[in-house]
Amino acid sequence: MSFKIITIARTSEGREIPREKIVPGKEISVGRLSDNDVHLADLAVEPKHAVIRETEPGRLVVDSISGLGFGFDGRTVKHAELESAVGAELRFGSHRLKIGSDDGAISITVERVEALSDSSEEKDQQTVFTLRGLMPGKRGSAYVFLALILAAFLAWPIYTYASTRGEKIRPQGFHADKTWETGKLSKAHAELENDCQACHVDAFVAVRDDACEACHTNAPHERAAGLQRVALTGPGRPGPAAYDHAPADKLAAAHGGNDGLGDRITKFFKRTFNKPEGRCVDCHTEHEGAGPMPATQQAFCADCHNGLQGRLQSAGLQSSIGSASDFGTQHPQFRPLILAGFDTEHPVPFAKRDARMGGNPLLGWRMQRAVLDRPLQMPDGLKFTHAQHLSKTNGVAEMWRNVSPGQGAGMDCENCHKVDSSGTRYQPVRMETACQSCHSLGLQTIGGTVRQLPHGQPAQVIADIRAFYGSGGSFRPTGLPIARYTRARPGDVNAERRSADLARAAALLPGKGDALIRATFAPGGVCGECHTVSMGGPAEVRIAPVAQPMRYLRNGWFDHRPHMNLDVRASDGNRRWGCRDCHAAEKSNNANDLLLPTVANCQQCHVGEKGAHSVQLVRSGTVSSCAMCHDYHADEGAPWVLKRGSRKKAPANQVAMLQVRWR
């Protein structure tokens, strides 16, 4: 058995709109609550007013369950019995329910026949339960609120901007144009909180690159202008210098997608609304919060560098840059900038290459890029083998134990390689501090002080040797018997004999000096042991130039600080230091070996931003995004997060893992 409920609504023109629903069962409820089967939105109806039950086929009973009656045949009753085939009418407040029969189902037609209140016949159920009649109209309210919004958030900010235009620093307090801010400035730009005009130079004009370059520059006069914006008194703090990442044509080709309809529409709107492509603020967004500016997301780099070569070639541009999407999965091999020989046709004097005097050791050297896909050779002017010096059993180790007792069975990397003051790079190896303890340049001892030959000055070495043999010094000339040189019998004859012997020996000293000079610069000699020497005569000595590049990856950055204390353990549990894990120095028997790690070496610990693990890792590696090693605006090559002043501790996201266990 079921009930067929037909609800009739009327439009403003009087047209009826019937809505039907079937309620299965033998009982339905009537009331003001919406969960009733017959919902009557009328205050004259109780929430749960009555129930209609079918006791026998075609016979209905209506009972009031609220204590309030209902209309039946012109009377108000609380109980009624009726036949559906005969039909009847029930009244609940302003609604009439017609009972009838329709194809075996009991039909109940619900229709409102009176107004919901006596004040107006036009009121309907949507207005009688609201405050619509007591509030202003929607249209009028909309106009009022629109005027208030325009005044508070457009006219007032424009007035504030115009009245403070030209001021270097705004006074403290609320400024109406602050209502346009989407968030707080980052810590890097927090000092510009009251200097909106530093970036927003013109009203309703997007921030231009020249506003950024006013502070982010290396030009002294432009830097001075930037300092005035940051601090009117005292020393300012200009931002890091910014340079173009690549030529504009290559940047445009690297972005790709210039021919699609969507790209053309986007560019059209940017041109129309004065927002040109390639601005600084396209990537460096501000007003994102008061914290530090987040590192550049890897996706920003991968958008261009993933498949970069193909897009550049399609645009007719040549580039040797490989495609990169994630360091752990796709990254080109390192291409270090190495020495390619000294320019002998235009040699640079040693005085200009001497770092001790402020010179540049790389002056006069040709440089070239090489792919680190195989062991590389780089002649740097020195004869030196790492394997020989790192051995624990040869003569070098024995000499080390004698010279530096208690400092290990042999030499280690840190005995010669010293970090600079920042801890980021290593200083050039100096003869005086790293080599001279074993490779002595001593000539003679005078009163307990060893007279040293000057390193790096061959002409001075020659002069010192000749001066030593020319004067004879305080030493016995070679070949003169000790007794006759130190003691002599009394008498004039013996004194004359001694004087003659000394004169004869002194006459031979210059020849011995030339012999010592040749021996000093000969292969295996004091200088020739480590340097390549050519001699054009007794007084002409040419030593091959020496250069020690301290940086090979010009477009990347490596910080030694987080790698110094790596606890890397072998399969037997013994600790292994990072130097020998990355630089295979113990196996190098060639002075020209370039001991740089490859991408595969780095990928054993650094797994990219997405955490793709190398097969050699047992535990999780270091998540390494592009920004860890690369800076989009490479001035000195160091990412800005690494160059933030002289902090005692490296940034948390730059510290490499401290515990790694290898298979």
Side-chain angles (χ1 to χ4, degrees):
M1 188 60 189
S2 61
F3 292 88
K4 182 178 182 182
I5 301 174
I6 305 171
T7 303
I8 297 178
R10 295 182 181 274
T11 64
S12 57
E13 294 85 5
R15 182 168 55 88
E16 292 184 353
I17 303 177
R19 295 182 177 87
E20 297 182 0
K21 70 174 181 178
I22 302 298
V23 179
K26 294 186 176 183
E27 180 178 302
I28 62 173
S29 60
V30 180
R32 192 170 71 245
L33 294 180
S34 59
D35 58 352
N36 288 289
D37 298 315
V38 180
H39 173 219
L40 305 177
D42 191 342
L43 291 176
V45 180
E46 292 294 315
K48 292 287 188 178
H49 200 121
V51 293
I52 303 176
R53 292 190 300 271
E54 184 181 25
T55 58
E56 296 178 7
R59 184 174 181 81
L60 299 177
V61 175
V62 183
D63 287 318
S64 173
I65 60 177
S66 64
L68 188 65
F70 53 88
F72 176 65
D73 290 338
R75 296 176 293 113
T76 300
V77 297
K78 294 183 180 180
H79 174 81
E81 296 182 4
L82 53 93
E83 298 287 340
S84 60
V86 177
E89 286 188 0
L90 303 176
R91 292 290 299 267
F92 291 87
S94 60
H95 291 77
R96 179 176 59 194
L97 276 64
K98 290 183 179 181
I99 309 298
S101 180
D102 186 2
D103 295 334
I106 299 174
S107 66
I108 301 177
T109 303
V110 182
E111 182 180 6
R112 181 168 64 87
V113 294
E114 296 179 4
L116 295 178
S117 68
D118 297 333
S119 60
S120 174
E121 287 293 329
E122 297 180 358
K123 288 189 175 181
D124 57 22
Q125 60 186 17
Q126 295 181 356
T127 60
V128 73
F129 298 108
T130 67
L131 299 176
R132 181 186 302 177
L134 303 177
M135 298 295 292
K138 291 182 178 179
R139 189 180 302 275
S141 299
Y143 288 141
V144 172
F145 287 128
L146 176 61
L148 291 176
I149 291 173
L150 292 177
F153 299 105
L154 181 61
W156 191 13
I158 292 176
Y159 170 78
T160 301
Y161 174 85
S163 60
T164 57
R165 183 175 176 80
E167 296 183 6
K168 291 294 183 182
I169 300 295
R170 290 186 181 187
Q172 295 293 333
F174 176 76
H175 302 280
D177 52 2
K178 291 285 187 180
T179 58
W180 292 353
E181 285 186 350
T182 58
K184 292 291 186 180
L185 288 172
S186 65
K187 289 183 178 179
H189 295 141
E191 295 186 7
L192 299 175
E193 185 69 25
N194 289 321
D195 188 13
C196 302
Q197 290 91 337
C199 302
H200 303 277
V201 179
D202 297 317
F204 302 105
V205 175
V207 176
R208 291 291 184 263
D209 290 351
D210 54 1
C212 304
E213 294 167 356
C215 294
H216 297 270
T217 181
N218 264 350
H221 64 282
E222 294 182 2
R223 178 182 294 180
L227 292 179
Q228 291 179 4
R229 292 183 182 276
V230 177
L232 290 176
T233 58
R237 293 181 291 276
Y243 301 90
D244 288 338
H245 178 62
D249 55 345
K250 289 187 176 181
L251 283 176
H255 280 292
N258 296 325
D259 299 328
L261 177 61
D263 295 308
R264 292 198 296 269
I265 294 175
T266 301
K267 289 185 176 181
F268 168 77
F269 278 101
K270 286 186 175 182
R271 290 193 303 267
T272 303
F273 293 100
N274 200 17
K275 298 185 68 174
E277 292 275 3
R279 297 177 301 144
C280 300
V281 295
D282 287 348
C283 307
H284 302 283
T285 56
E286 258 298 353
H287 298 288
E288 299 289 343
M293 295 186 74
T296 305
Q297 296 297 316
Q298 179 171 288
F300 169 75
C301 305
D303 285 345
C304 291
H305 283 267
N306 190 12
L308 176 63
Q309 271 195 338
R311 289 193 293 273
L312 292 178
Q313 292 175 359
S314 299
L317 301 173
Q318 299 296 324
S319 176
S320 58
I321 301 176
S323 297
S325 59
D326 183 89
F327 187 80
T329 56
Q330 182 187 24
H331 191 280
Q333 186 56 260
F334 296 143
R335 299 175 63 247
L337 190 66
I338 65 175
L339 301 175
F342 190 76
D343 187 1
T344 56
E345 297 182 0
H346 306 88
V348 177
F350 177 76
K352 293 185 178 180
R353 295 185 284 109
D354 188 1
R356 297 169 299 181
M357 306 300 293
N360 183 1
L362 298 181
L363 288 177
W365 285 86
R366 295 187 299 271
M367 309 291 289
Q368 70 177 18
R369 286 195 176 276
V371 181
L372 201 60
D373 55 355
R374 54 183 174 80
L376 297 180
Q377 303 289 319
M378 187 188 74
D380 58 0
L382 281 178
K383 302 175 183 177
F384 178 86
T385 58
H386 282 85
Q388 182 182 20
H389 285 76
L390 291 176
S391 173
K392 306 296 183 184
T393 58
N394 63 1
V396 175
E398 181 65 25
M399 178 178 289
W400 172 257
R401 289 191 289 268
N402 293 331
V403 173
S404 304
Q407 296 190 19
M411 299 181 67
D412 212 337
C413 304
E414 57 266 23
N415 296 132
C416 298
H417 297 278
K418 306 295 183 183
V419 296
D420 58 14
S421 58
S422 68
T424 303
R425 299 175 181 170
Y426 279 85
Q427 303 176 17
V429 177
R430 302 296 183 195
M431 165 68 181
E432 295 79 4
T433 57
C435 309
Q436 197 163 338
S437 59
C438 296
H439 299 270
S440 176
L441 298 180
L443 180 61
Q444 67 178 130
T445 302
I446 303 176
T449 301
V450 179
R451 180 182 179 186
Q452 300 282 346
L453 293 174
H455 180 258
Q457 304 178 46
Q460 187 65 42
V461 170
I462 295 174
D464 284 353
I465 294 176
R466 285 180 174 169
F468 168 71
Y469 279 99
S471 63
S474 61
F475 291 88
R476 171 180 59 85
T478 303
L480 187 64
I482 295 177
R484 293 177 61 179
Y485 176 61
T486 58
R487 300 187 304 275
R489 294 178 179 178
D492 294 339
V493 176
N494 292 322
E496 291 177 359
R497 183 182 301 165
R498 177 174 178 274
S499 178
D501 289 339
L502 290 172
R504 190 184 308 111
L508 298 175
L509 288 178
K512 292 183 177 296
D514 290 340
L516 182 58
I517 290 172
R518 289 192 295 272
T520 299
F521 293 102
V526 175
C527 299
E529 184 178 12
C530 300
H531 295 275
T532 301
V533 184
S534 61
M535 302 188 67
E540 185 179 358
V541 176
R542 291 189 295 272
I543 297 180
V546 176
Q548 301 179 58
M550 292 297 101
R551 186 177 173 200
Y552 295 91
L553 304 177
R554 306 298 295 181
N555 293 325
W557 183 262
F558 182 83
D559 189 354
H560 282 89
R561 287 175 296 179
H563 297 81
M564 289 179 182
N565 296 321
L566 284 179
D567 185 9
V568 182
R569 298 181 183 271
S571 57
D572 57 1
N574 294 326
R575 183 168 180 169
R576 300 170 60 192
W577 290 93
C579 296
R580 301 189 183 190
D581 285 336
C582 299
H583 307 280
E586 295 172 309
K587 301 178 181 179
S588 173
N589 289 294
N590 190 328
N592 296 332
D593 287 344
L594 186 64
L595 304 177
L596 293 179
T598 63
V599 167
N601 291 108
C602 300
Q603 286 174 337
Q604 291 172 354
C605 294
H606 293 270
V607 295
E609 188 178 71
K610 300 186 181 303
H613 288 243
S614 171
V615 294
Q616 296 189 11
L617 279 174
V618 177
R619 299 200 310 180
S620 61
T622 301
V623 177
S624 315
S625 64
C626 302
M628 178 177 283
C629 303
H630 294 282
D631 186 11
Y632 188 90
H633 302 291
D635 42 10
E636 288 299 321
W640 175 236
V641 70
L642 292 178
K643 290 171 57 182
R644 286 183 189 164
S646 55
R647 290 177 304 191
K648 295 183 180 179
K649 297 176 63 177
N653 61 343
Q654 294 295 330
V655 178
M657 58 182 175
L658 298 180
Q659 296 289 334
V660 180
R661 297 190 180 275
W662 298 62
R663 294 186 187 274

